[in-house]
Amino acid sequence: MASSILSNLSSVFLPSQLSKSSRALFTLHCTPTFKRTGFAAKIRASSTAFVETRPTDPVVVEKDVSSSKNILACPVCYEPVTLIGANVLSVDSARGSSLQCSTCKKTYSGKETHLELTVASGSKAYDDAMPMATEFFRTPFISFLYERGWRQNFVWGGFPGPEKEFEMMKEYLKPVLGGNILDASCGSGLFSRLFAKSGLFSLVTALDYSENMLKQCYEFVKQEENFPKENLILVRADIARLPFVSGSLDAVHAGAAIHCWPSPSAAVAEVSRVLRPGGVFVATTYILDGPFSFIPFLKPISQRFTQASGSNFFLSERELEAVCRACGLVNFTCTRNRQFIMFSATKPS
């Protein structure tokens, strides 16, 4: 019985959403309330409110670029790193560049597509063994598939689609527009590219642990004409060991990612560390409430699944709010549509 339930849950919660069973489960809920693109979400604090829409006000952005690129740090000691081999960091300057820690003097090399800033970077005899869910997204096949059918199936869980999600998150990010933003666990860079092309941020950092996801992002950038490459850098790093100076980021985004983090609390604690006072964290994920709450022993099943796979089930909004609060973030707000949730919290000023 438990194994059967677990199989159904994994097909819903993990980003595959490709099975017929997951479609059947999601259609038990109400129809989406998202109306059309070009409209921003009206956000209600700590509630299960659905999305209401209103015309988006014009956004005026004042970019602060004076120190926007002095944010990277050594993942070992969190001290600033010095760029060697290039005048400025960008998508095109990663290859041939290196970064050296000002304190421990460790050097981090740039690859063809990204900067390598994991703790084990440069080690030939050792590499961290990550949980199954993390390693799954490092495979070339899944990385290639992510924007070619995988992400599109999120609609069965209530995700409104990248364009509408982008419009919604702009409402949360209004206080920090013009600053820098980290797209954490960016995958193939779907939102990283939207952030960069929007012109709303002085610098966008696309970060993922998967080399193949970052390669996909790099290829998508190369294929786009007139892409603002100078405003985007690609970084490989561990979400639980973010290579940024403390208090150096204006915003952190994590799209459909937090449920794949081995330890959400450790990762959100890192998000809190790197955000400046007043900085904004905005993320999306799934919540298995509604009809799923009638599944017997769901809590212990979800715990066993997390132990085995490294993925997490969230069973209520309160869990996400509690994680944010435990990590020093306040003003939790959220927007719901069936299993989909977009939530935000801020670093106290």
Side-chain angles (χ1 to χ4, degrees):
M1 175 65 178
S3 61
S4 174
I5 293 171
L6 188 58
S7 175
N8 286 334
L9 288 175
S10 63
S11 68
V12 173
F13 187 72
L14 289 176
S16 58
Q17 314 298 321
L18 297 176
S19 69
K20 293 180 180 178
S21 60
S22 64
R23 299 187 182 189
L25 285 168
F26 281 124
T27 53
L28 290 173
H29 256 289
C30 61
T31 56
T33 60
F34 300 99
K35 301 298 183 182
R36 46 184 170 170
T37 56
F39 284 70
K42 181 178 180 182
I43 301 160
R44 301 180 183 176
S46 300
S47 70
T48 57
F50 290 97
V51 176
E52 298 177 2
T53 57
R54 58 178 174 77
T56 307
D57 297 326
V59 177
V60 177
V61 177
E62 296 181 3
K63 293 186 179 180
D64 177 14
V65 296
S66 59
S67 60
S68 63
K69 298 193 178 183
N70 300 326
I71 58 175
L72 293 177
C74 171
V76 175
C77 57
Y78 293 141
E79 293 298 322
V81 291
T82 302
L83 177 63
I84 302 171
N87 294 324
V88 66
L89 283 175
S90 69
V91 171
D92 288 332
S93 67
R95 182 172 60 177
S97 299
S98 59
L99 299 163
Q100 187 176 65
C101 177
S102 58
T103 300
C104 70
K105 305 304 180 184
K106 181 173 179 176
T107 299
Y108 301 89
S109 300
K111 305 296 183 182
E112 181 178 357
T113 57
H114 61 273
L115 297 168
E116 188 79 17
L117 283 168
T118 61
V119 171
S121 176
S123 175
K124 296 181 179 179
Y126 175 81
D127 191 18
D128 287 317
M130 301 299 281
M132 181 175 62
T134 303
E135 294 298 329
F136 183 69
F137 288 101
R138 294 180 71 184
T139 62
F141 176 71
I142 297 302
S143 301
F144 177 83
L145 186 64
Y146 191 76
E147 285 189 48
R148 298 174 175 89
W150 187 287
R151 195 20 165 102
Q152 289 81 346
N153 280 277
F154 284 23
V155 66
W156 298 106
F159 276 69
E163 291 77 16
K164 291 181 181 178
E165 290 169 50
F166 182 68
E167 292 299 320
M168 290 168 60
M169 70 181 68
K170 281 198 299 188
E171 286 294 298
Y172 290 106
L173 294 169
K174 271 187 177 180
V176 293
L177 292 180
N180 56 49
I181 187 169
L182 166 65
D183 190 14
S185 297
C186 67
S188 53
L190 180 60
F191 287 103
S192 308
R193 304 194 307 274
L194 287 174
F195 289 137
K197 290 186 293 184
S198 72
L200 298 175
F201 301 94
S202 58
L203 177 68
V204 179
T205 304
L207 179 146
D208 205 278
Y209 193 76
S210 169
E211 309 92 325
N212 287 301
M213 285 290 191
L214 293 171
K215 288 177 182 177
Q216 287 296 317
C217 182
Y218 182 78
E219 291 300 320
F220 282 127
V221 168
K222 285 205 308 181
Q223 292 167 14
E224 292 198 43
E225 293 185 8
N226 303 317
F227 188 93
K229 297 180 181 178
E230 68 280 2
N231 289 336
L232 176 67
I233 57 176
L234 309 185
V235 174
R236 179 173 179 257
D238 186 347
I239 190 64
R241 199 77 185 174
L242 292 175
F244 298 97
V245 175
S246 297
S248 63
L249 299 183
D250 298 295
V252 177
H253 167 259
I258 189 172
H259 51 269
C260 294
W261 295 346
S263 173
S265 61
V268 176
E270 274 293 271
V271 169
S272 181
R273 180 185 66 80
V274 301
L275 281 175
R276 66 163 174 80
V280 176
F281 174 47
V282 59
T284 58
T285 187
Y286 296 92
I287 291 184
L288 294 184
D289 56 6
F292 296 99
S293 40
F294 294 102
I295 298 175
F297 310 112
L298 183 57
K299 185 69 174 181
I301 290 173
S302 68
Q303 292 172 340
R304 292 291 180 88
F305 183 79
T306 296
Q307 292 169 352
S309 69
S311 288
N312 296 270
F313 291 150
F314 294 101
L315 307 181
S316 71
E317 296 168 17
R318 293 189 300 274
E319 287 185 295
L320 293 169
E321 183 174 8
V323 170
C324 291
R325 191 187 306 115
C327 296
L329 301 178
V330 298
N331 301 326
F332 180 91
T333 61
C334 67
T335 305
R336 291 292 305 274
N337 185 50
R338 292 186 283 163
Q339 266 54 65
F340 167 80
I341 182 172
M342 178 177 286
F343 68 93
S344 177
T346 58
K347 183 78 169 287
S349 298

